[in-house]
Amino acid sequence: MFRRSLVVIVALVLVGLCFLAGYSLLHFRSAKDVLTEARSLAERGEVLKAVQLLDMTERGAGMQKVPELKRQVWSLRMQCNMRIGNQARALEDIERLIADNDPDATLPLNRIYLLAATGQGALARQRAVEYLAAHPDSARGLELAGEACQVDYQDRLTKANEQLRTDLEYELYEPSREAMLAYLYRPNGDSSVADALLELRALYERSPARRQAWIRMQDMLKDLRDRIQQGLEYFQRALELACVNPEERKQFYAAAFRGASFALQQGGRRDSVVAQSNI
């Protein structure tokens, strides 16, 4: 028993010494050389090793004295973490680069994407609005704004659907759900929007006891519709810009197309999905 414990202790000491040796070695090599090695590792597909090396490099005293090398470390580590799906850490480096006034124009767009991808819908939407204030004709910015809106309102949509199940009898759930989706997703100016809301109200008011529940549901749905329609407007504008701008047309805005098509399907306009594909 004592012998086994001694072996474990010796092994841990050796691991610690190896780490210290590796860390010390960074002080004898220039930060630029280590960065070159990390870039080479990433190019060979050894992305995790590249991230580990960059983590150690960042803590080195030499790198702290050279701001440009520091930005290169953050940029390369951000790219590596995106490749291995570590979106949270990639976002951390994007925030560092933006705070350091890095001139890379794709950073704000990547920040919006990663905020949405990590479930931070409200903040992603806020950053998208800020970006569009400065770049109103960015099709990619508009598309990302639409995705941010989707993430932001998803929990509200789930809650509204669950509330239908709670408030209404089983046999009323499907017709009430269809009416709710038609109200939420059909575009402004469509006369059937008001009809859908009246239909849903009629289902609730079959029982006088549900009138108070309907008031709460109506307020919830009005707020939710505003959020959904804002996201759809972003998607629609992204597709329109991609259609008229030769440079934007080279891109395929899959998220914008999916968002617009999904709205047509949810709103009961399945026949219009084909027309949407021609945008």
Side-chain angles (χ1 to χ4, degrees), residues 125 129 132 136 138-150 153 184-188 224-242 255-257 259-261 263-264 276 279:
R125 179 172 167 270
V129 169
L132 290 172
S138 168
R140 179 58 177 157
L142 288 162
E143 179 182 45
L144 287 170
E147 290 187 89
C149 288
Q150 284 184 321
Y153 67 65
L184 293 175
Y185 283 94
R186 289 181 184 176
N188 293 324
L224 184 52
R225 175 177 166 80
D226 288 342
R227 294 172 182 275
I228 289 175
Q229 292 301 315
Q230 182 184 39
L232 293 176
E233 181 181 343
Y234 286 137
F235 283 143
Q236 193 67 36
R237 285 171 57 198
L239 290 171
E240 289 169 356
L241 282 172
F257 177 74
S261 298
L264 292 170
Q276 182 71 40
I279 293 177

mmCIF file of all heavy atoms in Angstrom, residues 125 129 132 136 138-150 153 184-188 224-242 255-257 259-261 263-264 276 279:
data_model
loop_
_atom_site.group_PDB
_atom_site.id
_atom_site.type_symbol
_atom_site.label_atom_id
_atom_site.label_comp_id
_atom_site.label_asym_id
_atom_site.label_seq_id
_atom_site.Cartn_x
_atom_site.Cartn_y
_atom_site.Cartn_z
ATOM 1 N N ARG A 125 -28.603 39.989 -29.672
ATOM 2 C CA ARG A 125 -29.515 40.922 -30.345
ATOM 3 C C ARG A 125 -29.047 42.364 -30.149
ATOM 4 O O ARG A 125 -29.073 43.172 -31.081
ATOM 5 C CB ARG A 125 -30.926 40.725 -29.791
ATOM 6 C CG ARG A 125 -31.996 41.632 -30.375
ATOM 7 C CD ARG A 125 -33.366 41.187 -29.876
ATOM 8 N NE ARG A 125 -34.387 42.187 -30.155
ATOM 9 C CZ ARG A 125 -34.719 43.171 -29.324
ATOM 10 N NH1 ARG A 125 -34.099 43.275 -28.153
ATOM 11 N NH2 ARG A 125 -35.649 44.043 -29.645
ATOM 12 N N VAL A 129 -27.918 44.932 -33.155
ATOM 13 C CA VAL A 129 -28.527 46.249 -33.374
ATOM 14 C C VAL A 129 -27.434 47.319 -33.449
ATOM 15 O O VAL A 129 -27.475 48.217 -34.302
ATOM 16 C CB VAL A 129 -29.537 46.573 -32.253
ATOM 17 C CG1 VAL A 129 -29.978 48.028 -32.315
ATOM 18 C CG2 VAL A 129 -30.753 45.644 -32.363
ATOM 19 N N LEU A 132 -25.624 46.974 -36.828
ATOM 20 C CA LEU A 132 -26.436 47.441 -37.958
ATOM 21 C C LEU A 132 -26.589 48.956 -37.965
ATOM 22 O O LEU A 132 -26.805 49.556 -39.028
ATOM 23 C CB LEU A 132 -27.803 46.759 -37.942
ATOM 24 C CG LEU A 132 -27.787 45.266 -38.278
ATOM 25 C CD1 LEU A 132 -29.163 44.657 -38.052
ATOM 26 C CD2 LEU A 132 -27.329 45.030 -39.704
ATOM 27 N N PRO A 136 -25.814 49.392 -41.907
ATOM 28 C CA PRO A 136 -27.220 49.029 -42.169
ATOM 29 C C PRO A 136 -27.420 48.147 -43.404
ATOM 30 O O PRO A 136 -28.454 47.491 -43.509
ATOM 31 C CB PRO A 136 -27.900 50.388 -42.350
ATOM 32 C CG PRO A 136 -26.798 51.308 -42.766
ATOM 33 C CD PRO A 136 -25.583 50.841 -42.042
ATOM 34 N N SER A 138 -25.452 45.579 -44.385
ATOM 35 C CA SER A 138 -24.713 44.320 -44.285
ATOM 36 C C SER A 138 -25.697 43.155 -44.264
ATOM 37 O O SER A 138 -26.416 42.957 -43.281
ATOM 38 C CB SER A 138 -23.857 44.297 -43.009
ATOM 39 O OG SER A 138 -23.357 42.997 -42.762
ATOM 40 N N ALA A 139 -25.726 42.389 -45.348
ATOM 41 C CA ALA A 139 -26.638 41.243 -45.399
ATOM 42 C C ALA A 139 -26.301 40.217 -44.324
ATOM 43 O O ALA A 139 -27.190 39.638 -43.698
ATOM 44 C CB ALA A 139 -26.595 40.600 -46.780
ATOM 45 N N ARG A 140 -25.003 39.989 -44.108
ATOM 46 C CA ARG A 140 -24.601 39.043 -43.079
ATOM 47 C C ARG A 140 -24.980 39.558 -41.689
ATOM 48 O O ARG A 140 -25.432 38.797 -40.831
ATOM 49 C CB ARG A 140 -23.095 38.788 -43.155
ATOM 50 C CG ARG A 140 -22.546 37.825 -42.094
ATOM 51 C CD ARG A 140 -23.226 36.472 -42.145
ATOM 52 N NE ARG A 140 -22.642 35.549 -41.178
ATOM 53 C CZ ARG A 140 -23.259 34.493 -40.687
ATOM 54 N NH1 ARG A 140 -24.495 34.198 -41.066
ATOM 55 N NH2 ARG A 140 -22.665 33.710 -39.815
ATOM 56 N N GLY A 141 -24.814 40.860 -41.471
ATOM 57 C CA GLY A 141 -25.214 41.433 -40.194
ATOM 58 C C GLY A 141 -26.706 41.282 -39.949
ATOM 59 O O GLY A 141 -27.144 40.978 -38.830
ATOM 60 N N LEU A 142 -27.497 41.493 -40.992
ATOM 61 C CA LEU A 142 -28.948 41.337 -40.878
ATOM 62 C C LEU A 142 -29.325 39.887 -40.595
ATOM 63 O O LEU A 142 -30.217 39.601 -39.784
ATOM 64 C CB LEU A 142 -29.625 41.820 -42.156
ATOM 65 C CG LEU A 142 -29.623 43.336 -42.365
ATOM 66 C CD1 LEU A 142 -29.914 43.678 -43.822
ATOM 67 C CD2 LEU A 142 -30.656 44.001 -41.446
ATOM 68 N N GLU A 143 -28.654 38.967 -41.272
ATOM 69 C CA GLU A 143 -28.935 37.550 -41.049
ATOM 70 C C GLU A 143 -28.634 37.162 -39.604
ATOM 71 O O GLU A 143 -29.426 36.480 -38.944
ATOM 72 C CB GLU A 143 -28.111 36.694 -42.002
ATOM 73 C CG GLU A 143 -28.343 35.194 -41.817
ATOM 74 C CD GLU A 143 -27.483 34.368 -42.752
ATOM 75 O OE1 GLU A 143 -26.286 34.673 -42.874
ATOM 76 O OE2 GLU A 143 -28.014 33.419 -43.361
ATOM 77 N N LEU A 144 -27.473 37.607 -39.094
ATOM 78 C CA LEU A 144 -27.102 37.296 -37.719
ATOM 79 C C LEU A 144 -28.064 37.950 -36.724
ATOM 80 O O LEU A 144 -28.365 37.376 -35.674
ATOM 81 C CB LEU A 144 -25.674 37.759 -37.450
ATOM 82 C CG LEU A 144 -24.583 36.907 -38.101
ATOM 83 C CD1 LEU A 144 -23.228 37.596 -37.985
ATOM 84 C CD2 LEU A 144 -24.531 35.520 -37.470
ATOM 85 N N ALA A 145 -28.557 39.144 -37.059
ATOM 86 C CA ALA A 145 -29.543 39.800 -36.199
ATOM 87 C C ALA A 145 -30.809 38.957 -36.107
ATOM 88 O O ALA A 145 -31.412 38.817 -35.033
ATOM 89 C CB ALA A 145 -29.859 41.194 -36.736
ATOM 90 N N GLY A 146 -31.234 38.388 -37.239
ATOM 91 C CA GLY A 146 -32.398 37.513 -37.235
ATOM 92 C C GLY A 146 -32.183 36.278 -36.377
ATOM 93 O O GLY A 146 -33.071 35.870 -35.606
ATOM 94 N N GLU A 147 -30.978 35.680 -36.475
ATOM 95 C CA GLU A 147 -30.671 34.511 -35.649
ATOM 96 C C GLU A 147 -30.643 34.878 -34.166
ATOM 97 O O GLU A 147 -31.109 34.105 -33.315
ATOM 98 C CB GLU A 147 -29.329 33.922 -36.065
ATOM 99 C CG GLU A 147 -29.343 33.260 -37.434
ATOM 100 C CD GLU A 147 -28.044 32.542 -37.736
ATOM 101 O OE1 GLU A 147 -27.940 31.345 -37.394
ATOM 102 O OE2 GLU A 147 -27.132 33.170 -38.297
ATOM 103 N N ALA A 148 -30.095 36.057 -33.852
ATOM 104 C CA ALA A 148 -30.054 36.502 -32.460
ATOM 105 C C ALA A 148 -31.473 36.665 -31.911
ATOM 106 O O ALA A 148 -31.754 36.297 -30.765
ATOM 107 C CB ALA A 148 -29.285 37.822 -32.365
ATOM 108 N N CYS A 149 -32.363 37.223 -32.723
ATOM 109 C CA CYS A 149 -33.762 37.372 -32.302
ATOM 110 C C CYS A 149 -34.396 36.007 -32.020
ATOM 111 O O CYS A 149 -35.136 35.843 -31.037
ATOM 112 C CB CYS A 149 -34.564 38.110 -33.376
ATOM 113 S SG CYS A 149 -34.204 39.868 -33.510
ATOM 114 N N GLN A 150 -34.113 35.025 -32.885
ATOM 115 C CA GLN A 150 -34.672 33.688 -32.690
ATOM 116 C C GLN A 150 -34.254 33.097 -31.350
ATOM 117 O O GLN A 150 -35.073 32.534 -30.622
ATOM 118 C CB GLN A 150 -34.221 32.764 -33.823
ATOM 119 C CG GLN A 150 -34.948 32.981 -35.133
ATOM 120 C CD GLN A 150 -34.527 31.968 -36.182
ATOM 121 O OE1 GLN A 150 -33.354 31.596 -36.287
ATOM 122 N NE2 GLN A 150 -35.473 31.514 -36.977
ATOM 123 N N TYR A 153 -36.064 34.953 -28.412
ATOM 124 C CA TYR A 153 -37.492 34.716 -28.134
ATOM 125 C C TYR A 153 -37.855 33.238 -27.974
ATOM 126 O O TYR A 153 -39.007 32.912 -27.669
ATOM 127 C CB TYR A 153 -38.388 35.362 -29.200
ATOM 128 C CG TYR A 153 -38.341 34.792 -30.605
ATOM 129 C CD1 TYR A 153 -38.771 33.488 -30.882
ATOM 130 C CD2 TYR A 153 -37.929 35.575 -31.682
ATOM 131 C CE1 TYR A 153 -38.762 32.982 -32.171
ATOM 132 C CE2 TYR A 153 -37.921 35.073 -32.974
ATOM 133 C CZ TYR A 153 -38.334 33.775 -33.211
ATOM 134 O OH TYR A 153 -38.328 33.274 -34.496
ATOM 135 N N LEU A 184 -48.668 34.655 -34.716
ATOM 136 C CA LEU A 184 -47.292 35.048 -34.436
ATOM 137 C C LEU A 184 -46.463 35.258 -35.695
ATOM 138 O O LEU A 184 -45.654 36.197 -35.757
ATOM 139 C CB LEU A 184 -46.608 33.991 -33.559
ATOM 140 C CG LEU A 184 -47.128 33.837 -32.128
ATOM 141 C CD1 LEU A 184 -46.429 32.671 -31.433
ATOM 142 C CD2 LEU A 184 -46.929 35.120 -31.333
ATOM 143 N N TYR A 185 -46.663 34.405 -36.708
ATOM 144 C CA TYR A 185 -45.729 34.369 -37.829
ATOM 145 C C TYR A 185 -46.214 35.050 -39.106
ATOM 146 O O TYR A 185 -45.391 35.384 -39.960
ATOM 147 C CB TYR A 185 -45.343 32.922 -38.141
ATOM 148 C CG TYR A 185 -44.335 32.361 -37.172
ATOM 149 C CD1 TYR A 185 -44.736 31.642 -36.047
ATOM 150 C CD2 TYR A 185 -42.974 32.554 -37.364
ATOM 151 C CE1 TYR A 185 -43.808 31.127 -35.152
ATOM 152 C CE2 TYR A 185 -42.039 32.034 -36.478
ATOM 153 C CZ TYR A 185 -42.464 31.327 -35.374
ATOM 154 O OH TYR A 185 -41.539 30.834 -34.484
ATOM 155 N N ARG A 186 -47.513 35.234 -39.266
ATOM 156 C CA ARG A 186 -47.950 35.887 -40.504
ATOM 157 C C ARG A 186 -47.542 37.354 -40.500
ATOM 158 O O ARG A 186 -47.552 37.996 -39.461
ATOM 159 C CB ARG A 186 -49.462 35.715 -40.687
ATOM 160 C CG ARG A 186 -49.807 34.279 -41.039
ATOM 161 C CD ARG A 186 -51.267 34.042 -41.266
ATOM 162 N NE ARG A 186 -51.537 32.623 -41.494
ATOM 163 C CZ ARG A 186 -52.727 32.092 -41.652
ATOM 164 N NH1 ARG A 186 -53.812 32.866 -41.612
ATOM 165 N NH2 ARG A 186 -52.866 30.800 -41.851
ATOM 166 N N PRO A 187 -47.183 37.879 -41.661
ATOM 167 C CA PRO A 187 -46.571 39.223 -41.716
ATOM 168 C C PRO A 187 -47.558 40.343 -41.428
ATOM 169 O O PRO A 187 -48.780 40.177 -41.541
ATOM 170 C CB PRO A 187 -46.051 39.302 -43.158
ATOM 171 C CG PRO A 187 -46.954 38.388 -43.932
ATOM 172 C CD PRO A 187 -47.267 37.252 -43.001
ATOM 173 N N ASN A 188 -46.993 41.482 -41.071
ATOM 174 C CA ASN A 188 -47.812 42.677 -40.884
ATOM 175 C C ASN A 188 -48.535 43.017 -42.190
ATOM 176 O O ASN A 188 -47.976 42.891 -43.272
ATOM 177 C CB ASN A 188 -46.927 43.860 -40.470
ATOM 178 C CG ASN A 188 -46.324 43.660 -39.096
ATOM 179 O OD1 ASN A 188 -46.954 43.110 -38.200
ATOM 180 N ND2 ASN A 188 -45.085 44.109 -38.921
ATOM 181 N N LEU A 224 -44.553 38.609 -27.918
ATOM 182 C CA LEU A 224 -43.838 37.590 -28.680
ATOM 183 C C LEU A 224 -43.926 37.861 -30.179
ATOM 184 O O LEU A 224 -42.939 37.699 -30.918
ATOM 185 C CB LEU A 224 -44.418 36.211 -28.348
ATOM 186 C CG LEU A 224 -43.736 34.992 -28.971
ATOM 187 C CD1 LEU A 224 -42.238 34.984 -28.710
ATOM 188 C CD2 LEU A 224 -44.378 33.712 -28.435
ATOM 189 N N ARG A 225 -45.083 38.294 -30.655
ATOM 190 C CA ARG A 225 -45.225 38.598 -32.080
ATOM 191 C C ARG A 225 -44.277 39.724 -32.497
ATOM 192 O O ARG A 225 -43.641 39.649 -33.553
ATOM 193 C CB ARG A 225 -46.665 38.989 -32.412
ATOM 194 C CG ARG A 225 -46.821 39.432 -33.874
ATOM 195 C CD ARG A 225 -48.245 39.759 -34.268
ATOM 196 N NE ARG A 225 -48.234 40.478 -35.542
ATOM 197 C CZ ARG A 225 -48.107 39.897 -36.735
ATOM 198 N NH1 ARG A 225 -47.977 38.573 -36.822
ATOM 199 N NH2 ARG A 225 -48.092 40.609 -37.835
ATOM 200 N N ASP A 226 -44.158 40.755 -31.675
ATOM 201 C CA ASP A 226 -43.248 41.862 -31.998
ATOM 202 C C ASP A 226 -41.816 41.349 -32.157
ATOM 203 O O ASP A 226 -41.096 41.755 -33.089
ATOM 204 C CB ASP A 226 -43.291 42.931 -30.904
ATOM 205 C CG ASP A 226 -44.591 43.725 -30.900
ATOM 206 O OD1 ASP A 226 -45.302 43.698 -31.935
ATOM 207 O OD2 ASP A 226 -44.893 44.356 -29.871
ATOM 208 N N ARG A 227 -41.411 40.457 -31.285
ATOM 209 C CA ARG A 227 -40.048 39.921 -31.323
ATOM 210 C C ARG A 227 -39.839 39.046 -32.565
ATOM 211 O O ARG A 227 -38.796 39.123 -33.224
ATOM 212 C CB ARG A 227 -39.757 39.122 -30.053
ATOM 213 C CG ARG A 227 -39.733 39.969 -28.795
ATOM 214 C CD ARG A 227 -39.636 39.126 -27.530
ATOM 215 N NE ARG A 227 -39.655 39.944 -26.339
ATOM 216 C CZ ARG A 227 -38.593 40.533 -25.795
ATOM 217 N NH1 ARG A 227 -37.402 40.366 -26.348
ATOM 218 N NH2 ARG A 227 -38.704 41.267 -24.704
ATOM 219 N N ILE A 228 -40.817 38.203 -32.864
ATOM 220 C CA ILE A 228 -40.710 37.316 -34.025
ATOM 221 C C ILE A 228 -40.702 38.118 -35.312
ATOM 222 O O ILE A 228 -39.889 37.862 -36.222
ATOM 223 C CB ILE A 228 -41.864 36.292 -34.016
ATOM 224 C CG1 ILE A 228 -41.645 35.274 -32.891
ATOM 225 C CG2 ILE A 228 -41.971 35.584 -35.364
ATOM 226 C CD1 ILE A 228 -42.776 34.298 -32.706
ATOM 227 N N GLN A 229 -41.561 39.110 -35.414
ATOM 228 C CA GLN A 229 -41.638 39.908 -36.629
ATOM 229 C C GLN A 229 -40.354 40.717 -36.852
ATOM 230 O O GLN A 229 -39.932 40.917 -37.996
ATOM 231 C CB GLN A 229 -42.842 40.839 -36.579
ATOM 232 C CG GLN A 229 -44.182 40.120 -36.650
ATOM 233 C CD GLN A 229 -44.337 39.296 -37.930
ATOM 234 O OE1 GLN A 229 -44.029 39.763 -39.032
ATOM 235 N NE2 GLN A 229 -44.811 38.070 -37.794
ATOM 236 N N GLN A 230 -39.725 41.152 -35.776
ATOM 237 C CA GLN A 230 -38.452 41.863 -35.934
ATOM 238 C C GLN A 230 -37.401 40.936 -36.534
ATOM 239 O O GLN A 230 -36.658 41.317 -37.446
ATOM 240 C CB GLN A 230 -37.959 42.395 -34.586
ATOM 241 C CG GLN A 230 -36.655 43.197 -34.720
ATOM 242 C CD GLN A 230 -36.106 43.653 -33.389
ATOM 243 O OE1 GLN A 230 -36.150 42.916 -32.404
ATOM 244 N NE2 GLN A 230 -35.572 44.871 -33.351
ATOM 245 N N GLY A 231 -37.328 39.707 -36.034
ATOM 246 C CA GLY A 231 -36.373 38.750 -36.573
ATOM 247 C C GLY A 231 -36.648 38.443 -38.035
ATOM 248 O O GLY A 231 -35.725 38.362 -38.857
ATOM 249 N N LEU A 232 -37.920 38.285 -38.386
ATOM 250 C CA LEU A 232 -38.282 37.995 -39.768
ATOM 251 C C LEU A 232 -37.961 39.166 -40.694
ATOM 252 O O LEU A 232 -37.564 38.974 -41.846
ATOM 253 C CB LEU A 232 -39.768 37.651 -39.853
ATOM 254 C CG LEU A 232 -40.177 36.344 -39.159
ATOM 255 C CD1 LEU A 232 -41.677 36.158 -39.234
ATOM 256 C CD2 LEU A 232 -39.459 35.165 -39.793
ATOM 257 N N GLU A 233 -38.113 40.369 -40.187
ATOM 258 C CA GLU A 233 -37.767 41.547 -40.989
ATOM 259 C C GLU A 233 -36.273 41.560 -41.302
ATOM 260 O O GLU A 233 -35.864 41.875 -42.424
ATOM 261 C CB GLU A 233 -38.152 42.818 -40.240
ATOM 262 C CG GLU A 233 -37.855 44.093 -41.027
ATOM 263 C CD GLU A 233 -38.210 45.357 -40.273
ATOM 264 O OE1 GLU A 233 -38.974 45.270 -39.292
ATOM 265 O OE2 GLU A 233 -37.714 46.427 -40.668
ATOM 266 N N TYR A 234 -35.468 41.202 -40.319
ATOM 267 C CA TYR A 234 -34.022 41.122 -40.561
ATOM 268 C C TYR A 234 -33.707 40.081 -41.630
ATOM 269 O O TYR A 234 -32.907 40.326 -42.543
ATOM 270 C CB TYR A 234 -33.295 40.769 -39.266
ATOM 271 C CG TYR A 234 -33.199 41.884 -38.260
ATOM 272 C CD1 TYR A 234 -33.418 41.637 -36.902
ATOM 273 C CD2 TYR A 234 -32.870 43.176 -38.646
ATOM 274 C CE1 TYR A 234 -33.320 42.651 -35.963
ATOM 275 C CE2 TYR A 234 -32.772 44.206 -37.710
ATOM 276 C CZ TYR A 234 -32.994 43.937 -36.370
ATOM 277 O OH TYR A 234 -32.898 44.945 -35.439
ATOM 278 N N PHE A 235 -34.330 38.900 -41.519
ATOM 279 C CA PHE A 235 -34.083 37.848 -42.503
ATOM 280 C C PHE A 235 -34.495 38.295 -43.905
ATOM 281 O O PHE A 235 -33.786 38.064 -44.894
ATOM 282 C CB PHE A 235 -34.853 36.572 -42.131
ATOM 283 C CG PHE A 235 -34.236 35.784 -41.011
ATOM 284 C CD1 PHE A 235 -35.036 35.151 -40.067
ATOM 285 C CD2 PHE A 235 -32.864 35.647 -40.901
ATOM 286 C CE1 PHE A 235 -34.477 34.405 -39.041
ATOM 287 C CE2 PHE A 235 -32.292 34.897 -39.874
ATOM 288 C CZ PHE A 235 -33.100 34.284 -38.939
ATOM 289 N N GLN A 236 -35.657 38.919 -44.002
ATOM 290 C CA GLN A 236 -36.171 39.346 -45.302
ATOM 291 C C GLN A 236 -35.246 40.387 -45.939
ATOM 292 O O GLN A 236 -34.935 40.316 -47.130
ATOM 293 C CB GLN A 236 -37.578 39.921 -45.142
ATOM 294 C CG GLN A 236 -38.331 40.111 -46.451
ATOM 295 C CD GLN A 236 -38.674 38.789 -47.129
ATOM 296 O OE1 GLN A 236 -38.975 37.811 -46.450
ATOM 297 N NE2 GLN A 236 -38.622 38.764 -48.440
ATOM 298 N N ARG A 237 -34.788 41.331 -45.140
ATOM 299 C CA ARG A 237 -33.890 42.362 -45.661
ATOM 300 C C ARG A 237 -32.554 41.762 -46.088
ATOM 301 O O ARG A 237 -31.951 42.189 -47.080
ATOM 302 C CB ARG A 237 -33.677 43.447 -44.610
ATOM 303 C CG ARG A 237 -34.874 44.385 -44.444
ATOM 304 C CD ARG A 237 -34.711 45.294 -43.252
ATOM 305 N NE ARG A 237 -33.490 46.088 -43.321
ATOM 306 C CZ ARG A 237 -32.933 46.694 -42.256
ATOM 307 N NH1 ARG A 237 -33.506 46.574 -41.064
ATOM 308 N NH2 ARG A 237 -31.845 47.405 -42.398
ATOM 309 N N ALA A 238 -32.089 40.759 -45.349
ATOM 310 C CA ALA A 238 -30.829 40.095 -45.716
ATOM 311 C C ALA A 238 -30.953 39.434 -47.080
ATOM 312 O O ALA A 238 -30.054 39.545 -47.933
ATOM 313 C CB ALA A 238 -30.454 39.060 -44.653
ATOM 314 N N LEU A 239 -32.068 38.761 -47.308
ATOM 315 C CA LEU A 239 -32.281 38.084 -48.592
ATOM 316 C C LEU A 239 -32.430 39.093 -49.729
ATOM 317 O O LEU A 239 -31.939 38.870 -50.843
ATOM 318 C CB LEU A 239 -33.520 37.192 -48.506
ATOM 319 C CG LEU A 239 -33.372 35.954 -47.608
ATOM 320 C CD1 LEU A 239 -34.713 35.269 -47.420
ATOM 321 C CD2 LEU A 239 -32.356 34.978 -48.188
ATOM 322 N N GLU A 240 -33.111 40.189 -49.460
ATOM 323 C CA GLU A 240 -33.288 41.213 -50.499
ATOM 324 C C GLU A 240 -31.948 41.828 -50.892
ATOM 325 O O GLU A 240 -31.665 42.032 -52.085
ATOM 326 C CB GLU A 240 -34.243 42.297 -49.999
ATOM 327 C CG GLU A 240 -35.692 41.821 -49.895
ATOM 328 C CD GLU A 240 -36.583 42.798 -49.160
ATOM 329 O OE1 GLU A 240 -36.042 43.830 -48.663
ATOM 330 O OE2 GLU A 240 -37.797 42.553 -49.052
ATOM 331 N N LEU A 241 -31.100 42.102 -49.910
ATOM 332 C CA LEU A 241 -29.785 42.666 -50.206
ATOM 333 C C LEU A 241 -28.910 41.665 -50.943
ATOM 334 O O LEU A 241 -28.169 42.023 -51.861
ATOM 335 C CB LEU A 241 -29.092 43.099 -48.911
ATOM 336 C CG LEU A 241 -29.563 44.414 -48.303
ATOM 337 C CD1 LEU A 241 -28.929 44.628 -46.932
ATOM 338 C CD2 LEU A 241 -29.202 45.573 -49.222
ATOM 339 N N ALA A 242 -28.983 40.406 -50.539
ATOM 340 C CA ALA A 242 -28.190 39.377 -51.211
ATOM 341 C C ALA A 242 -28.620 39.214 -52.660
ATOM 342 O O ALA A 242 -27.839 38.814 -53.517
ATOM 343 C CB ALA A 242 -28.333 38.050 -50.468
ATOM 344 N N ALA A 255 -29.283 30.655 -43.222
ATOM 345 C CA ALA A 255 -30.061 30.933 -42.010
ATOM 346 C C ALA A 255 -31.222 31.877 -42.312
ATOM 347 O O ALA A 255 -32.333 31.692 -41.813
ATOM 348 C CB ALA A 255 -29.159 31.539 -40.933
ATOM 349 N N ALA A 256 -30.969 32.889 -43.151
ATOM 350 C CA ALA A 256 -32.040 33.827 -43.503
ATOM 351 C C ALA A 256 -33.135 33.125 -44.290
ATOM 352 O O ALA A 256 -34.326 33.350 -44.070
ATOM 353 C CB ALA A 256 -31.471 34.995 -44.308
ATOM 354 N N PHE A 257 -32.739 32.267 -45.227
ATOM 355 C CA PHE A 257 -33.742 31.541 -46.022
ATOM 356 C C PHE A 257 -34.548 30.592 -45.138
ATOM 357 O O PHE A 257 -35.776 30.527 -45.242
ATOM 358 C CB PHE A 257 -33.058 30.759 -47.139
ATOM 359 C CG PHE A 257 -34.018 29.929 -47.949
ATOM 360 C CD1 PHE A 257 -34.879 30.530 -48.855
ATOM 361 C CD2 PHE A 257 -34.086 28.557 -47.775
ATOM 362 C CE1 PHE A 257 -35.792 29.767 -49.585
ATOM 363 C CE2 PHE A 257 -34.985 27.790 -48.499
ATOM 364 C CZ PHE A 257 -35.837 28.398 -49.406
ATOM 365 N N GLY A 259 -35.075 30.877 -41.936
ATOM 366 C CA GLY A 259 -35.924 31.654 -41.048
ATOM 367 C C GLY A 259 -37.181 32.150 -41.737
ATOM 368 O O GLY A 259 -38.284 32.055 -41.193
ATOM 369 N N ALA A 260 -37.020 32.684 -42.957
ATOM 370 C CA ALA A 260 -38.179 33.186 -43.697
ATOM 371 C C ALA A 260 -39.110 32.043 -44.093
ATOM 372 O O ALA A 260 -40.340 32.157 -43.991
ATOM 373 C CB ALA A 260 -37.706 33.945 -44.933
ATOM 374 N N SER A 261 -38.543 30.924 -44.541
ATOM 375 C CA SER A 261 -39.362 29.777 -44.947
ATOM 376 C C SER A 261 -40.102 29.172 -43.756
ATOM 377 O O SER A 261 -41.269 28.790 -43.851
ATOM 378 C CB SER A 261 -38.481 28.712 -45.600
ATOM 379 O OG SER A 261 -37.864 29.208 -46.759
ATOM 380 N N ALA A 263 -41.080 30.703 -41.113
ATOM 381 C CA ALA A 263 -42.195 31.583 -40.757
ATOM 382 C C ALA A 263 -43.402 31.319 -41.637
ATOM 383 O O ALA A 263 -44.548 31.294 -41.162
ATOM 384 C CB ALA A 263 -41.764 33.047 -40.873
ATOM 385 N N LEU A 264 -43.167 31.119 -42.929
ATOM 386 C CA LEU A 264 -44.275 30.824 -43.843
ATOM 387 C C LEU A 264 -44.947 29.504 -43.474
ATOM 388 O O LEU A 264 -46.181 29.388 -43.488
ATOM 389 C CB LEU A 264 -43.756 30.768 -45.284
ATOM 390 C CG LEU A 264 -43.282 32.105 -45.879
ATOM 391 C CD1 LEU A 264 -42.585 31.867 -47.204
ATOM 392 C CD2 LEU A 264 -44.466 33.052 -46.067
ATOM 393 N N GLN A 276 -40.795 31.830 -51.877
ATOM 394 C CA GLN A 276 -39.699 32.390 -51.095
ATOM 395 C C GLN A 276 -38.344 31.913 -51.619
ATOM 396 O O GLN A 276 -37.359 32.644 -51.592
ATOM 397 C CB GLN A 276 -39.841 31.968 -49.624
ATOM 398 C CG GLN A 276 -38.772 32.525 -48.696
ATOM 399 C CD GLN A 276 -38.937 34.008 -48.487
ATOM 400 O OE1 GLN A 276 -40.045 34.507 -48.355
ATOM 401 N NE2 GLN A 276 -37.833 34.730 -48.456
ATOM 402 N N ILE A 279 -36.320 34.125 -54.050
ATOM 403 C CA ILE A 279 -35.764 35.429 -53.656
ATOM 404 C C ILE A 279 -34.265 35.422 -53.867
ATOM 405 O O ILE A 279 -33.605 34.497 -53.464
ATOM 406 C CB ILE A 279 -36.090 35.749 -52.166
ATOM 407 C CG1 ILE A 279 -37.590 35.958 -52.012
ATOM 408 C CG2 ILE A 279 -35.333 36.974 -51.707
ATOM 409 C CD1 ILE A 279 -38.014 36.209 -50.585
#
